[in-house]
Amino acid sequence: MKSITKKITLGAVVIVAFIGYAYETYLKPSTTTPITSVTPTGTVATPTGTTGSTGATGSTSGTYKDGTYTGSVADAYFGSVQVAVNITAGKISNVTFLQYPNDRGTSKQINAGAMPRLSAEAVAAQSANVNIVSGATQTSQAFEQSLQAALSQAAA
Amino acid sequence: MRMARIIMGMPVSVDIIGTPTPEIFEKIFGYFTWVDETFSTYKKESEISRINSGELKLKDASEKVQKVFKLCEETKEITNGAFDIYKKDGTCDPSGLVKGWAIYQASFLLKAEGYENFFIEAGGDIQVSGHNEDKGPWRVGIRDPFKKDSLLKIVALANGEGIATSGTYERGQHIYDPRTGKAVTDLVALTVIGKNCYEADRFATAAFVMGNKALSFIQSRSELEAVVTHVGGKEEMTAGFNKYIVK
């Protein structure tokens, strides 16, 4: 019981942190606030960039350096899934889901109203209960935002 | 393996069970790029845009475009005009049918290469085939129109069905009744399960326009099932929808 509470708290911290990051990056594109890496204990977001450095340096724009970035999207209830995102000309050009959680042992029937999500696509992969989600068409912006929130160190 | 790309202004994802090649993914994404270049009303050089500008006559358009127009006409008749790609100013926008049609066509490309277990998703509409990674039915969540990070339902699709959702909760009011020109305000969301994604999408588009009459229309067609969310929050399903729901 205790470990689940811990997981939920951790997940909430992660989600709040990612939301804060996404706000900083997308709702204020003209700021020059340096990107701080959003890595609360337990989450991993380590880009393996093919161009540029892997360290977070000061950001002067809202776009991303071209390259391939691997990040973990952490889900409080089901564990994590890896995504590899290709950035071309500063925009997401491709997303590959590298692994699905295989451990079904800890999954449980989640009340459909309580599932936390970071992005529609990532959650579909993360969730032990669904493979994919149907909904009204999101803007591509919404999709990009939620996925980029997971790549906190991919900023140019 | 799953890959996603943004095409036609929306996320397109393809999940193929087994050992798919990079080439097959490129083929599918390439197909959607062709669909975008041919049918997009946002691209001046698309056949649709050139038809709308008068530069191209429908009878001179490509075979695939003419086929789509024919399907739109059939759908208009079946739905008594609730589905109509023509707007009052005489221009047309077939996107309410093209998306599901394209997803369905793309599934044939995968089958032709011998892939049997996959899904193709574009902008929230999905075509499944075969089984998922666990050799079970594809498990599809349906988004809650009122709670961004919640699911209304989870359904299990085991027979190559298509599922499509029409709704005004993502992009705001963008659905109009072609018969009256008025915005449709009875429903917030409607999800249709059909025997393939083409059927699901065209009827999700048409039925949404029917508002409070949507459910009885879907009910009247044996190969369709739907769940609707009314503006006030009330949720209703066709009688046969229950068989898809995973508890």
Side-chain angles (χ1 to χ4, degrees):
Chain A
M1 257 346 211
K2 262 187 126 180
S3 72
I4 292 191
T5 311
K6 199 168 156 186
K7 264 188 161 185
I8 291 170
T9 311
L10 173 60
V13 169
V14 168
I15 290 165
V16 167
F18 279 145
I19 289 169
Y21 171 76
Y23 175 78
E24 276 296 313
T25 308
Y26 291 99
L27 297 186
K28 301 195 282 186
S30 59
T31 64
T32 56
T33 312
I35 300 300
T36 53
S37 76
V38 180
T39 48
T41 325
T43 61
V44 174
T46 45
T48 52
T50 54
T51 61
S53 71
T54 53
T57 53
S59 158
T60 54
S61 75
T63 61
Y64 288 78
K65 261 187 172 158
D66 285 5
T68 302
Y69 296 89
T70 308
S72 280
V73 179
D75 178 275
Y77 294 168
F78 300 109
S80 67
V81 63
Q82 292 252 300
V83 293
V85 179
N86 303 102
I87 311 288
T88 308
K91 291 182 69 74
I92 290 178
S93 53
N94 203 56
V95 178
T96 308
F97 293 80
L98 299 176
Q99 102 199 12
Y100 304 145
N102 282 318
D103 174 20
R104 300 276 188 245
T106 55
S107 76
K108 54 191 195 291
Q109 277 300 322
I110 295 295
N111 181 347
M115 191 180 299
R117 294 176 17 167
L118 295 173
S119 88
E121 297 305 318
V123 162
Q126 290 172 154
S127 164
N129 277 346
V130 298
N131 301 122
I132 186 66
V133 172
S134 178
T137 312
Q138 276 184 319
T139 60
S140 58
Q141 204 181 9
F143 173 78
E144 282 179 333
Q145 278 178 9
S146 51
L147 205 53
Q148 283 174 338
L151 304 175
S152 58
Q153 291 184 35
Chain B
M1 182 179 191
R2 180 185 307 193
M3 296 187 84
R5 218 168 270 188
I6 294 177
I7 306 172
M8 306 183 295
M10 65 185 75
V12 176
S13 18
V14 184
D15 193 325
I16 305 173
I17 307 301
T19 48
T21 60
E23 288 77 31
I24 190 60
F25 283 103
E26 283 310 316
K27 193 167 191 175
I28 301 301
F29 291 131
Y31 173 73
F32 281 105
T33 301
W34 169 82
V35 170
D36 192 32
E37 285 165 358
T38 306
F39 291 96
S40 173
T41 53
Y42 298 102
K43 295 193 145 85
K44 273 198 315 179
E45 291 307 309
S46 74
E47 287 189 55
I48 297 303
S49 293
R50 292 188 303 138
I51 288 170
N52 282 335
S53 69
E55 194 188 314
L56 175 67
K57 294 218 178 343
L58 178 57
K59 65 174 175 62
D60 299 324
S62 68
E63 186 206 326
K64 290 280 178 346
V65 168
Q66 293 195 37
K67 167 80 176 173
V68 164
F69 271 73
K70 209 181 226 149
L71 295 174
C72 290
E73 198 50 44
E74 283 171 15
T75 309
K76 179 179 173 178
E77 278 178 36
I78 296 170
T79 61
N80 293 316
F83 180 92
D84 189 345
I85 64 173
Y86 287 96
K87 299 192 270 197
K88 289 265 186 297
D89 63 1
T91 61
C92 68
D93 179 3
S95 52
L97 181 143
V98 167
K99 187 167 66 165
W101 172 83
I103 294 168
Y104 183 44
Q105 297 305 307
S107 72
F108 289 111
L109 295 179
L110 284 180
K111 288 182 172 163
E113 301 280 334
Y115 296 103
E116 289 178 355
N117 303 298
F118 57 83
F119 74 68
I120 300 171
E121 180 257 339
D125 295 349
I126 304 156
Q127 173 70 54
V128 305
S129 177
H131 57 70
N132 67 7
E133 203 178 42
D134 303 319
K135 298 223 166 44
W138 286 103
R139 303 170 71 94
V140 181
I142 297 173
R143 288 219 267 141
D144 183 332
F146 297 111
K147 286 196 285 193
K148 193 166 154 50
D149 293 333
S150 292
L151 299 182
L152 205 64
K153 300 262 179 283
I154 297 175
V155 296
L157 304 182
N159 295 299
E161 293 96 340
I163 180 169
T165 299
S166 269
T168 47
Y169 60 91
E170 273 291 341
R171 298 184 170 194
Q173 184 52 259
H174 68 284
I175 302 177
Y176 296 87
D177 186 332
R179 302 164 297 189
T180 63
K182 295 207 173 86
V184 177
T185 53
D186 291 345
L187 306 177
V188 162
L190 180 154
T191 297
V192 175
I193 298 176
K195 63 180 185 198
N196 58 58
C197 198
Y198 160 69
E199 300 289 350
D201 191 27
R202 66 175 176 149
F203 288 117
T205 306
F208 192 94
V209 160
M210 298 176 192
N212 291 323
K213 300 199 167 73
L215 212 66
S216 55
F217 172 78
I218 300 288
Q219 188 76 58
S220 73
R221 298 192 69 85
S222 59
E223 2 57 86
L224 301 175
E225 300 293 344
V227 59
V228 304
T229 307
H230 293 266
V231 150
K234 183 170 81 155
E235 189 191 295
E236 281 186 297
M237 304 184 301
T238 51
F241 194 89
N242 206 52
K243 66 177 185 268
Y244 292 113
I245 297 177
V246 175
K247 299 293 169 239

